[in-house]
């Protein structure tokens, strides 16, 4: 299957992630100021787009769009009313968007957009799309014949306000939360429709605390450039963070986007100085860290001060940290990750992370 799909649905990687938000202008400012993204492109009334405003930000290979509707009677308004701020689209860069659409829809995907050619003076882009879990969309973007700032309809956005980047380089993975009993359904979707393989698996015995649990599987494209862990809640004494997410997001959706850095100590120091809030990690986590993960190159004291988590697998180790939700609903958050050989996702940290998230849930009265 994967040999065949390697040829039939090659994904070059994640082209962009689009967030629908209540106030895109202010969200863009936040992501520039706090995360060090750079202004790239803009679409809105000034560029001939009458119904929305979209701000495109970039840092190395990470491209985010923040979009707000301009009218009440608009599907984006419905999306925001239902979900709050959240991820609408994970777009892939592909060789051939028409072929990607044909392949996926013929294997059972629901079409979101038939292959559509968009043109401007910078060339031609073909975009198509399919639905995935919840109200989330995948777009296939063929930008082989385009050299504009982003996509047709967007104009270059140059700003006099350009905060320094924070060292973010690429989207490492995007995690989906789905409802009870839905994890396997969506893993099969990525296997059958997208030709993904399963990377590793957890079960609820792996990831549970005294109170709550989840189940998670990781699906990956054949070339490993796109990795999508899928979580579903599992039974525990109290409400899991996945249930809390689904309650406040009103259904399945993207839980977190993990962004890779080459120097997590510097990146996290900068993010913290700029006001990004991270989950608290108990001091006890570090007391036996080296016993658990072995020697690491980083200075333990600095790791502990920043609250960075460490995990090891057979290929190496990884350093990771999770932000608090980036909007008032306890839904979407970010992970910052540095891989030092490890190709897994911090399984050994799930428990420590869970206990930290539960402390936050408790404070919100949602445990
Ligand atoms: Fe993650």
């Amino acid at each position: 299957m994967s040999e065949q799909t390697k040829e039939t649905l090659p994904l070059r990687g994640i082209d962009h992630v689009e967030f629908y938000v209540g106030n895109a202008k202010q969200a863009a400012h936040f992501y520039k100021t706090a995360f060090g993204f750079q202004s790239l492109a803009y679409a809105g009334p000034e560029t001939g787009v009458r119904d929305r405003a979209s701000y495109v930000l970039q840092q190395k290979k990470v491209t985010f769009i923040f979009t707000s509707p301009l009218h009440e009677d608009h599907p984006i308004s419905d999306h925001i009313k239902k979900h709050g701020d959240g991820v609408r689209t994970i777009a892939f860069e592909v060789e051939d968007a028409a072929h990607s659409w044909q392949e996926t829809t013929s294997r059972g995907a629901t079409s979101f957009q038939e292959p559509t050619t968009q043109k401007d003076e910078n060339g031609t882009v073909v975009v198509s799309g399919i639905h995935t879990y919840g109200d989330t969309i995948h777009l296939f973007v063929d930008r082989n014949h385009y050299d504009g700032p982003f996509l047709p309809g967007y104009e270059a956005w140059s700003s006099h306000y350009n905060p320094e980047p924070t060292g973010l380089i690429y989207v490492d993975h995007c995690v989906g939360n789905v409802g009870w009993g839905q994890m396997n359904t969506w893993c099969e979707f990525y296997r059958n429709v997208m030709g993904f393989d399963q990377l590793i698996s957890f079960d609820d015995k792996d990831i549970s605390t005294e109170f709550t649990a989840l189940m998670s599987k990781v699906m990956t494209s054949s070339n490993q450039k796109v990795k999508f862990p899928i979580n579903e809640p599992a039974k525990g004494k109290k409400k899991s963070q996945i249930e809390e997410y689904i309650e406040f997001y009103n259904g399945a959706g993207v839980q977190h986007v993990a962004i890779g850095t080459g120097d997590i100590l510097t990146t996290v120091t900068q993010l913290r100085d700029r006001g990004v809030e991270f989950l608290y990690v108990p001091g006890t986590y570090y007391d036996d860290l080296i016993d658990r993960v072995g020697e690491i190159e980083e200075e333990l004291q600095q790791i502990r001060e920043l609250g960075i988590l460490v995990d090891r697998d057979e290929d190496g180790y990884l350093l990771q940290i999770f932000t608090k939700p980036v909007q008032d609903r306890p839904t979407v958050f970010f992970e910052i990750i540095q891989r030092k050989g490890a190709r897994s996702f911090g399984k050994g940290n799930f428990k420590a992370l869970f206990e930290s998230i539960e402390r936050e849930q408790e404070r919100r009265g949602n445990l």
Side-chain angles (χ1 to χ4, degrees), residues 35-202:
F35 285 85
F37 281 87
Q38 307 296 303
S39 303
L40 180 70
Y42 169 78
E46 299 85 349
T47 72
V49 176
R50 305 302 307 170
D51 66 338
R52 67 180 74 188
S54 295
Y55 297 78
V56 187
L57 301 179
Q58 198 166 53
Q59 189 164 174
K60 295 283 185 188
K61 292 188 233 167
V62 187
T63 305
F64 287 165
I65 312 177
F66 298 93
T67 294
S68 288
L70 300 181
H71 307 289
E72 178 194 9
D73 179 21
H74 194 289
I76 304 176
S77 297
D78 298 338
H79 194 279
I80 292 167
K81 184 181 179 192
K82 182 174 175 189
H83 301 299
D85 288 5
V87 172
R88 165 61 165 176
T89 302
I90 300 170
F92 308 111
E93 191 187 345
V94 298
E95 279 294 325
D96 184 340
H99 183 70
S100 303
W101 183 86
Q102 275 146 13
E103 277 296 323
T104 50
T105 53
S106 73
R107 295 191 215 170
T110 305
S111 174
F112 168 71
Q113 183 183 329
E114 291 187 17
T116 309
T117 301
Q118 304 169 1
K119 280 182 194 162
D120 67 10
E121 68 277 12
N122 299 303
T124 300
V125 174
V126 184
V127 178
S128 63
I130 58 172
H131 290 268
T132 178
Y133 49 78
D135 289 324
T136 316
I137 300 298
H138 287 315
L139 290 183
F140 302 107
V141 181
D142 164 8
R143 48 171 76 256
N144 283 320
H145 305 286
Y146 193 72
D147 61 3
F150 182 55
L151 289 172
Y154 287 84
E155 287 182 2
W157 171 22
S158 60
S159 169
H160 74 273
Y161 178 62
N162 305 300
E164 285 291 304
T166 59
L168 303 177
I169 301 173
Y170 69 99
V171 174
D172 188 274
H173 58 276
C174 298
V175 179
N177 280 344
V178 300
W180 292 94
Q182 293 295 302
M183 176 183 70
N184 285 329
T185 305
W186 288 104
C187 288
E188 287 308 301
F189 169 88
Y190 282 104
R191 189 191 309 279
N192 297 332
V193 169
M194 306 283 292
F196 282 26
D197 301 308
Q198 187 183 337
L199 210 55
I200 44 175
S201 87
F202 302 115

Side-chain angles (χ1 to χ4, degrees), residues 172-175 229 255-258 320 322 333 335 337 345 350:
D172 188 274
H173 58 276
C174 298
V175 179
Q255 179 207 41
H256 72 267
V257 177
Q320 65 187 166
F322 299 87
F333 59 90
E335 171 183 347
I337 183 167
F345 297 83
F350 268 66

Side-chain angles (χ1 to χ4, degrees), residues 315-361:
D315 299 309
Y317 68 98
L318 62 82
L319 305 130
Q320 65 187 166
I321 190 169
F322 299 87
T323 73
K324 292 185 179 179
V326 287
Q327 60 290 307
D328 289 302
R329 294 196 200 189
T331 53
V332 183
F333 59 90
F334 290 93
E335 171 183 347
I336 309 300
I337 183 167
Q338 182 179 5
R339 294 188 178 278
K340 296 200 138 180
R343 292 192 288 173
S344 53
F345 297 83
K347 176 178 168 176
N349 287 324
F350 268 66
K351 193 167 175 187
L353 170 69
F354 249 49
E355 287 167 348
S356 179
I357 289 177
E358 281 169 10
R359 271 189 293 278
E360 300 287 324
Q361 269 182 270

